[in-house]
Structures are given as C-alpha cells and as structure tokens.
C-alpha cells in the first residue's frame, strides 16, 4: 500500500502576481506615511516650528470637542527642532475650523 501524494507546483504567473502585490503594498504604505508626515509638518509650521527635521507621526486619531461638537485630527509626533537643536515630542491637533493646538515637550 503506497501513499503517494501528488503536489501541484505553483506557476510562474502566481509568483509574479504575488511579487507585484507585495511591491504595490510597500509603495502604498510609504505614500501613506509620507502623507501623514507632510500634514503634521504643515501644522507644525502653523504653530511656529518653521525649521523641523525627522518628523515621525506615530498615530493619527479623530477627536470631537464635547462642548462645541467640532471634530478634528490629533497627531502624535516626534521631531527635531533644528533652530534650537532639541528633540521634541507630543501631540498636535487641528480641527475642521482650522484651529490648532499643541502639547509638545522639547528636551
């Protein structure tokens, strides 16, 4: 009694398809990260941090002010202020009425 299991090989088209999907995923991830960093840099310029380097956005959350019912986005960021050469971290927020807030600590 022989148990022979026949295994089908994966075609070359499938490998190419998987590689294309992986490359597209990496490109989309990179573009999303750059978009978040660009939006955070615009908010930092509005707050007075005109010369920043290494802006990293850790997360973006949507918030709503309970009193005024105004919604917006809060960015948790880390960056280097090149004018004072300090490492800063904290959050910045911008609502849909274009108001900006910050809670940033520089060391």
């Amino acid at each position: 009694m022989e148990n022979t299991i026949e295994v089908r090989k994966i075609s070359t088209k499938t490998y190419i398809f998987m590689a294309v999907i992986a490359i597209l995923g990496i490109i989309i991830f990179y573009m999303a990260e750059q978009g978040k960093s660009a939006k955070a840099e615009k908010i930092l310029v509005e707050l007075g941090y005109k010369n920043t380097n290494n802006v990293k956005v850790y997360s973006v959350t949507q918030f709503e002010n309970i009193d005024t019912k105004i919604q917006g986005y809060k960015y948790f960021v880390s960056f280097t202020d090149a004018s004072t050469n300090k490492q800063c971290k904290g959050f910045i927020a911008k609502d849909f009425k274009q108001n900006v807030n910050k809670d940033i600590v520089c060391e």
Side-chain angles (χ1 to χ4, degrees), residues 54-98:
N54 302 329
V55 176
K56 294 181 185 175
V57 178
Y58 293 106
S59 69
V60 179
T61 57
Q62 190 173 6
F63 72 92
E64 178 180 17
N65 189 341
I66 298 171
D67 300 330
T68 60
K69 301 290 185 192
I70 297 174
Q71 296 179 348
Y73 288 100
K74 185 187 292 187
Y75 298 84
F76 293 93
V77 296
S78 170
F79 63 95
T80 303
D81 189 4
S83 60
T84 60
N85 203 15
K86 291 184 177 180
Q87 183 69 27
C88 301
K89 61 182 176 180
F91 76 86
I92 53 177
K94 186 171 188 175
D95 61 19
F96 294 128
K97 298 257 183 185
Q98 306 304 319

Side-chain angles (χ1 to χ4, degrees), residues 7-73:
V7 178
R8 285 182 40 194
K9 290 191 172 189
I10 297 176
S11 69
T12 308
K13 285 183 183 178
T14 305
Y15 284 123
I16 293 171
F17 184 67
M18 288 190 299
V20 167
I21 295 271
I23 290 170
L24 284 175
I26 291 169
I27 290 171
I28 290 171
F29 176 76
Y30 180 74
M31 289 174 54
E33 290 297 317
Q34 290 299 326
K36 285 193 273 186
S37 294
K39 287 179 184 178
E41 285 180 18
K42 285 182 183 178
I43 296 171
L44 286 170
V45 168
E46 289 181 27
L47 290 170
Y49 295 98
K50 298 195 185 317
N51 196 2
T52 58
N53 295 329
N54 302 329
V55 176
K56 294 181 185 175
V57 178
Y58 293 106
S59 69
V60 179
T61 57
Q62 190 173 6
F63 72 92
E64 178 180 17
N65 189 341
I66 298 171
D67 300 330
T68 60
K69 301 290 185 192
I70 297 174
Q71 296 179 348
Y73 288 100

